[in-house]
Amino acid sequence: MTLRAATPQDFGIIRSLAQRPDYAEFISDEDEAALAAYLDRPDCRLLIWQGDQPLGFALFCQIGEPSGRVELRRLALAEAGRGAGAGFVQALIDYAFQELQAAGVWLDASGENLRAQRVYARAGFTLEGRQRAHWYRPSLGRAVDLLLYGMQREEWARGTPLQAQGPRPTF
């Protein structure tokens, strides 16, 4: 599996994943114009997790911030819940620290997305905070807690539990 830059030809797969009912509570769907804007922004990278076919997507933002932090804003797999999440998240972590030269990576998750919480904890992210009833989810008709996770370069350099599970991805 590899991570590669998304192109406009990938917008269909990105939108199809974001529109899945099992993701509706957790990620937002953006139209083609919004996705195209990410391709032109120097502070963002829209990526495709590629095998024989696209297996998922992710969006990094806040690249180039003076603090060195980057945000892993959105990520989704075509086949969630089948064990690929660990490798995908590890590839994204490695990309952030190797390719983007991040000092730290942060992301958020819905307080109701238990699958993501488990993957992030196993990947070595630290739960850094909870914003209660912060994120309004139209599909639920209510606000949910937003959990904030982070990892610093030093933590990544020491290795995470996921790194022991397989070979390093290519970019």
Side-chain angles (χ1 to χ4, degrees):
M1 270 41 100
T2 62
L3 286 171
R4 64 168 176 80
T7 69
Q9 290 74 31
D10 296 309
F11 294 171
I13 184 72
I14 292 169
R15 298 222 41 223
S16 71
L17 291 176
Q19 293 171 358
R20 284 180 23 178
D22 56 329
Y23 282 151
E25 298 175 31
F26 309 129
I27 64 174
S28 300
D29 180 28
E30 293 180 293
D31 65 19
E32 286 79 2
L35 295 173
Y38 291 127
L39 300 182
D40 294 331
R41 288 178 49 183
D43 66 327
C44 292
R45 297 286 186 294
L46 184 57
L47 303 172
I48 299 295
W49 177 238
Q50 183 75 44
D52 292 338
Q53 60 193 19
L55 303 172
F57 77 94
L59 174 64
F60 281 102
C61 292
Q62 299 181 337
I63 298 166
E65 288 289 319
S67 69
R69 75 173 187 292
V70 298
E71 176 190 9
L72 181 49
R73 183 173 293 175
R74 296 175 64 201
L75 60 148
L77 281 172
E79 295 188 14
R82 298 196 179 173
F88 182 44
V89 170
Q90 188 62 57
L92 293 169
I93 293 168
D94 291 344
Y95 182 89
F97 289 112
Q98 292 173 351
E99 300 298 313
L100 301 178
Q101 293 299 304
V105 177
W106 75 276
L107 53 83
D108 60 44
S110 166
E112 298 184 7
N113 191 346
L114 302 179
R115 182 172 54 211
Q117 292 171 44
R118 286 189 297 270
V119 169
Y120 302 154
R122 283 194 309 262
F125 281 95
T126 299
L127 177 61
E128 296 181 339
R130 175 185 295 263
Q131 295 179 311
R132 296 175 295 155
H134 177 79
W135 192 26
Y136 182 78
R137 301 308 302 151
S139 64
L140 297 174
R142 61 184 166 81
V144 298
D145 290 359
L146 186 69
L147 305 178
L148 303 172
Y149 288 87
M151 181 185 294
Q152 298 300 308
R153 175 174 280 283
E154 302 79 34
E155 295 164 332
W156 169 76
R158 285 195 301 265
T160 66
L162 292 179
Q163 290 172 335
Q165 294 180 14
R168 301 298 274 231
T170 58
F171 305 112

